[in-house]
């Protein structure tokens, strides 16, 4: 039964146009074609990326951060409070007003003190500016190298200049060594991002990022299996074209280089919109989803591949909205660009006291503490 199910899943008519199939991807006459087993190489590649990243962040990103003047803001630690800590960890990091009043009675702290404790506790869990800089510098380095490496791989290929040629001789297109390594490195990097997602900086678009990573991994893997490699390389190049600019803008943002950050971000916004909302849909998706209709009858693999491209396009539209919001914010007042996806620290008033921690000796909130009784706000 399992054998029958396997045959059904990998049936030629599901993944290829009529008249073609998996037999067309068998090596012959010195020509090599992509194989399913090749994807196993992605695991050691992704592991290497995780190791190289740790070394890079400590030996290159840290000294670079110091050189650019990146400094972490001092954060006051909360005073130990088992009741509040238990609520923070097990129930909610953002307690309701009713919960705050209940916690105030349980701990003997004022409502304002409880609110301040939770603000400080949330700030403690937020990633430091230095950690954000390290992550941005790592991604900047990869995206920059990947873009120019991809450009070197593709610039002399006919389908780089005429995207319709991605279907020439399909699926009997032999695999080039440069294409093999381009695929393994790109796919290995995105797999490493999935492995490191638990420790990476979590932003407001965390769920969208996960969807993006999964869709990208599926897209790259599927295009490898059915030899959509020419289209796949173009898609990867288009996506890498703007990413390194965004990461470099974030690096200068963390360093406080306002004018440099604003300039790079403006360039990034223009490149992002051109590559993701113009070139990607009107050249790439047209070449993979519209032009083939004049060559082949439709099949499931055709819909699956282009469906993943549409998912990426929807995410591009979503991120364009965030980008335009940032552009609108910094242009009028020429302020520094802040990543709309970042979880910003909450500010505190200087006149607020920490829970259970008197501010000026025995004076609490401007009132003396008598008989261990604190005046409530």
């Amino acid at each position: 039964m399992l054998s029958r199910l396997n045959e059904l899943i990998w049936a030629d008519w599901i993944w290829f146009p009529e008249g073609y199939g998996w037999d067309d991807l068998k090596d012959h006459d010195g020509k090599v074609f992509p194989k399913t087993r090749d994807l196993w190489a992605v695991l050691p590649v992704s592991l290497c990326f995780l190791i190289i990243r740790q070394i890079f962040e400590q030996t290159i990103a840290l000294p670079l951060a110091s050189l650019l003047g990146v400094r972490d803001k001092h954060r006051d630690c909360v005073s130990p409070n088992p009741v509040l800590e238990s609520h923070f960890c097990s129930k909610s990091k953002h307690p309701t007003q009713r919960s705050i009043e209940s916690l105030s009675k349980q701990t003997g702290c004022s409502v304002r003190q409880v609110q301040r404790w939770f603000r400080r506790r949330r700030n403690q869990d937020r990633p430091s500016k230095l950690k954000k800089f390290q992550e941005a510098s790592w991604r900047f380095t990869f995206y920059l190298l990947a873009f120019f490496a991809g450009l070197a791989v593709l610039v002399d290929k006919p389908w780089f200049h005429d995207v319709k040629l991605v279907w020439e001789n399909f699926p009997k297109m032999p695999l080039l060594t440069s294409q093999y390594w381009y695929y393994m490195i790109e796919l290995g990097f995105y797999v490493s991002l999935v492995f490191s997602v638990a420790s990476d900086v979590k932003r407001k678009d965390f769920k969208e990022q996960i969807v993006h990573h999964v869709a990208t991994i599926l897209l790259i893997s599927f295009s490898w299996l059915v030899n959509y490699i020419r289209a796949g390389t173009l898609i990867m190049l288009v996506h890498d074209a703007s990413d390194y600019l965004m990461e470099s803008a974030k690096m200068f943002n963390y360093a406080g280089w306002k004018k440099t950050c604003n300039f790079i971000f403006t360039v990034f916004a223009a490149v992002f919109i051109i590559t993701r909302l113009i070139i990607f849909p009107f050249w790439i998706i047209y070449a993979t989803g519209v032009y083939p209709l004049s060559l082949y009858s439709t099949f499931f693999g055709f819909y699956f591949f282009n469906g993943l491209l549409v998912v990426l396009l929807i995410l591009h539209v979503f991120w364009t909205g965030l980008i335009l919001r940032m552009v609108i914010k910094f242009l009028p007042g020429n302020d520094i660009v802040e990543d709309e996806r970042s979880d910003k620290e909450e500010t505190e008033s200087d006149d607020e006291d920490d829970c259970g921690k008197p501010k000026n000796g025995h004076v609490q909130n401007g009132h003396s503490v008598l008989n261990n009784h604190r005046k409530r706000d």
Side-chain angles (χ1 to χ4, degrees):
M1 182 177 178
L2 291 178
S3 176
R4 174 60 180 166
L5 181 62
N6 185 65
E7 291 179 4
L8 180 62
I9 292 175
W10 298 107
D12 292 344
W13 62 270
I14 294 179
W15 305 109
F16 295 92
E18 185 178 354
Y20 299 96
W22 297 107
D23 289 341
D24 294 312
L25 299 183
K26 291 181 179 179
D27 297 347
H28 61 85
D29 301 329
K31 296 179 180 179
V32 179
F33 296 87
K35 301 173 184 63
T36 304
R37 64 175 180 268
D38 295 337
L39 294 178
W40 287 108
V42 170
L43 294 178
V45 171
S46 61
L47 179 60
C48 287
F49 270 123
L50 292 173
I51 296 173
I52 294 172
R53 175 179 176 174
Q54 295 301 317
I55 297 173
F56 176 90
E57 290 186 351
Q58 295 301 317
T59 61
I60 297 178
L62 274 179
L64 182 60
S66 177
L67 182 65
L68 294 178
V70 179
R71 298 288 184 271
D72 277 332
K73 181 180 178 181
H74 173 72
R75 294 175 178 174
D76 294 325
C77 295
V78 297
S79 56
N81 193 307
V83 175
L84 300 182
E85 184 69 27
S86 175
H87 188 95
F88 182 88
C89 295
S90 61
K91 294 183 180 180
S92 174
K93 296 180 180 181
H94 297 270
T96 62
Q97 184 63 29
R98 179 178 295 181
S99 297
I100 290 175
E101 292 173 357
S102 175
L103 291 169
S104 174
K105 295 177 181 178
Q106 294 178 50
T107 58
C109 301
S110 69
V111 169
R112 287 182 63 190
Q113 288 173 331
V114 173
Q115 291 171 335
R116 177 183 174 88
W117 189 96
F118 274 92
R119 278 197 297 272
R120 282 189 171 182
R121 185 65 181 83
R122 288 192 294 268
N123 283 338
Q124 279 185 208
D125 283 356
R126 290 187 172 90
S128 66
K129 186 182 293 186
L130 190 58
K131 177 176 173 59
K132 292 179 181 179
F133 180 89
Q134 288 175 291
E135 181 177 310
S137 60
W138 164 248
R139 297 193 183 198
F140 162 77
T141 302
F142 174 81
Y143 291 135
L144 180 68
L145 295 177
F147 172 68
F148 285 103
L151 199 60
V153 168
L154 289 170
V155 71
D156 62 340
K157 304 300 186 294
W159 58 89
F160 178 76
H161 306 281
D162 184 359
V163 291
K164 292 180 180 179
L165 294 180
V166 298
W167 294 103
E168 186 179 32
N169 298 324
F170 175 81
K172 303 177 183 180
M173 302 174 293
L175 176 66
L176 304 177
T177 302
S178 57
Q179 292 174 328
Y180 173 85
W181 284 110
Y182 189 28
Y183 254 75
M184 293 302 110
I185 290 174
E186 284 276 356
L187 186 54
F189 178 75
Y190 280 103
V191 171
S192 73
L193 291 183
V194 173
F195 287 156
S196 63
V197 69
S199 59
D200 285 347
V201 175
K202 290 181 175 59
R203 305 183 187 277
K204 294 177 182 179
D205 65 342
F206 175 75
K207 293 180 180 178
E208 289 81 6
Q209 285 284 359
I210 294 297
V211 172
H212 175 268
H213 294 341
V214 172
T216 301
I217 291 171
L218 287 175
L219 183 65
I220 296 175
S221 301
F222 176 73
S223 64
W224 177 269
L225 292 177
V226 296
N227 207 12
Y228 289 179
I229 289 180
R230 291 181 179 179
T233 53
L234 291 176
I235 294 167
M236 291 188 293
L237 182 68
V238 165
H239 281 74
D240 289 337
S242 61
D243 286 340
Y244 69 91
L245 291 170
M246 178 60 181
E247 299 302 331
S248 62
K250 288 194 286 188
M251 290 169 62
F252 285 108
N253 184 9
Y254 302 142
W257 292 35
K258 180 172 65 174
K259 293 182 179 179
T260 304
C261 172
N262 288 353
F263 173 75
I264 295 176
F265 185 81
T266 303
V267 176
F268 158 75
V271 173
F272 185 94
I273 292 173
I274 292 171
T275 56
R276 304 292 183 94
L277 296 187
I278 299 177
I279 295 177
F280 183 66
F282 296 109
W283 270 266
I284 305 297
I285 294 183
Y286 174 81
T288 61
V290 179
Y291 175 69
L293 296 177
S294 64
L295 304 176
Y296 311 104
S297 57
T298 58
F299 52 100
F300 175 78
F302 168 84
Y303 292 112
F304 182 74
F305 183 75
N306 286 285
L308 291 174
L309 295 184
V310 171
V311 170
L312 292 181
L313 181 59
I314 292 172
L315 290 173
H316 296 165
V317 174
F318 169 77
W319 282 318
T320 299
L322 297 182
I323 290 169
L324 293 178
R325 284 173 60 185
M326 285 187 275
V327 169
I328 292 171
K329 281 186 176 181
F330 86 82
L331 283 180
N334 198 31
D335 294 326
I336 195 164
V337 176
E338 291 187 2
D339 193 344
E340 279 287 330
R341 304 171 302 157
S342 295
D343 190 12
K344 301 177 180 63
E345 286 195 30
E346 299 168 86
T347 57
E348 302 170 355
S349 301
D350 292 336
D351 61 348
E352 294 178 356
D353 301 328
D354 203 359
C355 185
K357 189 176 181 180
K359 185 173 181 179
N360 294 315
H362 299 288
V363 178
Q364 184 80 2
N365 291 338
H367 299 272
S368 300
V369 179
L370 303 175
N371 299 325
N372 294 326
H373 175 74
R374 295 181 175 85
K375 182 177 179 63
R376 303 297 176 87
D377 290 339

